[in-house]
């Protein structure tokens, strides 16, 4: 279906066909002097639709892939769509007449239970939001706090974790752990737009951002109007969240507090429980009165840092603090492995390992700051045991198990005795005959990677 979001013209270097993902896109524009609008060429909206900016946005949206919005268009169809509709969309943007399509409602499970509401814009709107974000980021980011780490250039969650460890090591051994209840769903539009308008004076850009905030959400086949919130799922939402929460950052800096914020995950570090309780009370009052956000008192707490998780990590309680895995991080990883192995029944083991490798490598890359290695070693052992159990199931019959065990080096008597023991897959996966037949070296020869070894290698190279 076609909507007002249908637009964007793109030309192929050869002048034909739809663009493959890997090829650059050239967005055709007309000179500002030929536009029937009277906007100045140096205004912010002209910078948004500048060909170079649009090309960067296109590459980013295609690289991120993502699911279609309400119009069903995929990122693979975007180039051909833009080739036909860009002149119309460009003129609508310049004339302040563009209205985004409704967003598609989606939910994903939260790591600690419950679900998170997402809003999936159309691919065209994702392109425009990305183009907006690229122009607005250099305006706002230099003014953000040094203690803000989420969704910013050259900043990461791992930097936030390192800063957290440094604050606690410096003697701030109490933490005010704030949980903002349904933050992205409760952002006040008027408060947010007032803060955007402090640095943006192009009324067309301001109205376009407001329209994105108020775009209806499709639920049960009907578009529902929205009066608050900036749903996660669009490229613009993280920047808007940082703009609003920067007021809180500045307030914490004004009070002289040490803190770390990654999006809406906030921790403040103090030297005593009493100080923490004062900060919790005053900061909660500030957030609720000044920013109209709700602090979840049940999930928030003043506690020792080693009793609270932060971005998947946790500190040990030792005098020389060490970073270790949060238990929830380990459980989520084990669940992902189970899901892969559940699909692996009937598939060749190397296919299962091929699917596991990027998951394990990405997870190890994120947790390469872990100092305590025992949980990583235990995870490696558990993964190998699950794989042995998968192989044992695939062998099915005693005759097959006997033949396979013999082929993997067990003597005839031991192979015969092990193949007919009558025990289940999990028991056999941990038994000595399977550990000898399918050793750690054997798995690594099949392409399996070790989380522990990957983390060690990453730490050495950093």
């Amino acid at each position: 279906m076609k909507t007002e979001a249908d637009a964007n013209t793109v030309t192929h270097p050869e002048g034909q066909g739809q663009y493959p993902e890997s090829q650059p896109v050239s967005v055709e524009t007309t000179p500002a002097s030929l536009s029937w609008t009277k906007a100045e060429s140096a205004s912010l909206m002209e910078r948004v639709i500048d060909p170079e900016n649009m090309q960067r946005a296109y590459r980013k949206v295609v690289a991120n892939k993502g699911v279609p919005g309400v119009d069903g268009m995929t990122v693979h169809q975007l180039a051909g769509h833009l080739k036909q509709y860009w002149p119309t969309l460009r003129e609508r943007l310049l004339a302040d007449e563009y209205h985004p399509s409704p967003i598609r409602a989606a939910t994903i499970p939260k790591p600690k239970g419950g679900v998170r509401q997402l809003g999936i814009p159309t691919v065209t709107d994702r392109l425009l939001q990305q183009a907006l974000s690229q122009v607005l980021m250099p305006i706002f980011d230099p003014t953000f706090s040094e203690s803000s780490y989420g969704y910013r250039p050259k900043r990461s969650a791992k930097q936030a974790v390192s800063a957290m460890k440094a604050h606690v090591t410096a003697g701030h051994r109490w933490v005010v752990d704030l949980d903002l209840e349904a933050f992205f769903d409760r952002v006040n539009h008027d408060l947010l737009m007032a803060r955007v308008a402090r640095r943006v004076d192009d009324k067309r850009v301001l109205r376009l951002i407001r329209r994105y905030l108020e775009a209806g959400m499709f639920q049960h086949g009907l578009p529902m109007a929205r009066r608050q919130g900036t749903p996660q799922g669009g490229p613009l939402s993280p920047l808007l969240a940082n703009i609003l929460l920067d007021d809180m950052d500045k307030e914490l800096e004004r009070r002289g507090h040490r803190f770390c914020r990654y999006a809406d995950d906030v921790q403040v570090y103090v030297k005593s429980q009493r100080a923490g309780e004062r900060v919790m009370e005053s900061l909660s009052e500030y957030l609720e009165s000044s920013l109209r956000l709700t602090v979840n008192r049940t999930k928030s707490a003043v506690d020792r840092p080693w009793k609270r998780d932060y971005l998947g990590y946790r500190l040990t309680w030792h005098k020389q603090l060490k970073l270790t895995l949060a238990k929830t991080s380990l459980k989520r990883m084990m669940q992902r492995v189970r899901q892969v192995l559940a699909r692996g029944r009937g598939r060749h083991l190397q296919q299962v390992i091929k699917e596991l490798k990027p998951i394990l490598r990405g997870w190890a890359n994120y947790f390469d700051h872990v100092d305590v290695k025992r949980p990583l070693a235990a995870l490696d052992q558990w993964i190998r045991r699950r794989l042995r159990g998968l192989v044992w199931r695939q062998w099915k019959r005693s005759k097959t198990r006997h033949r396979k065990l013999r082929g993997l080096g067990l003597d005839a008597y031991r192979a015969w005795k092990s193949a007919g023991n009558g025990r289940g897959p999990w028991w056999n996966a941990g038994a000595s005959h399977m550990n000898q037949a399918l050793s750690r070296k054997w798995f690594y020869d099949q392409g399996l990677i070790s989380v522990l070894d990957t983390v060690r290698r990453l730490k050495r190279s950093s």
Side-chain angles (χ1 to χ4, degrees), residues 307-321:
K307 294 183 179 180
R308 308 293 294 186
D309 300 344
Y310 192 56
L311 301 177
Y313 284 82
R314 178 173 285 201
L315 286 169
T316 64
W317 55 268
H318 303 91
K319 187 173 182 180
Q320 295 295 325
L321 297 168

Side-chain angles (χ1 to χ4, degrees), residues 257-325:
H257 290 307
R258 296 189 180 214
F259 68 98
C260 292
R261 182 177 68 79
Y262 189 93
D264 59 332
D265 287 316
V266 187
Q267 287 193 344
V268 185
Y269 307 96
V270 294
K271 291 189 174 182
S272 70
Q273 182 177 7
R274 189 173 178 181
E277 290 168 352
R278 286 198 303 268
V279 170
M280 173 68 80
E281 191 60 34
S282 62
L283 191 54
S284 297
E285 182 181 347
Y286 171 82
L287 288 167
E288 292 171 353
S289 61
S290 297
L291 300 184
R292 300 184 194 174
L293 299 171
T294 302
V295 175
N296 188 326
R297 307 283 178 148
T298 304
K299 294 183 179 179
S300 301
V302 176
D303 210 337
R304 292 293 194 178
W306 42 87
K307 294 183 179 180
R308 308 293 294 186
D309 300 344
Y310 192 56
L311 301 177
Y313 284 82
R314 178 173 285 201
L315 286 169
T316 64
W317 55 268
H318 303 91
K319 187 173 182 180
Q320 295 295 325
L321 297 168
K322 295 182 179 181
L323 285 170
T324 188
L325 285 174

Side-chain angles (χ1 to χ4, degrees), residues 197-263:
R198 291 172 183 171
R199 295 183 174 273
V200 173
D201 56 8
D202 189 322
K203 302 299 182 185
R204 295 167 301 175
V205 171
L206 291 173
R207 279 190 284 268
L208 182 57
I209 294 172
R210 169 76 76 163
R211 287 168 187 161
Y212 275 122
L213 290 173
E214 295 178 350
M217 181 178 288
F218 254 97
Q219 290 181 309
H220 311 297
L222 295 172
M224 309 293 291
R226 291 189 299 118
R227 296 289 177 261
Q228 63 178 7
T230 171
Q232 298 176 79
L236 198 54
S237 290
L239 174 60
L240 296 178
N242 276 335
I243 291 172
L244 182 65
L245 289 175
D246 188 57
D247 276 22
M248 178 188 68
D249 298 343
K250 296 297 192 291
E251 179 65 16
L252 287 168
E253 288 176 343
R254 186 185 67 78
R255 299 180 187 183
H257 290 307
R258 296 189 180 214
F259 68 98
C260 292
R261 182 177 68 79
Y262 189 93

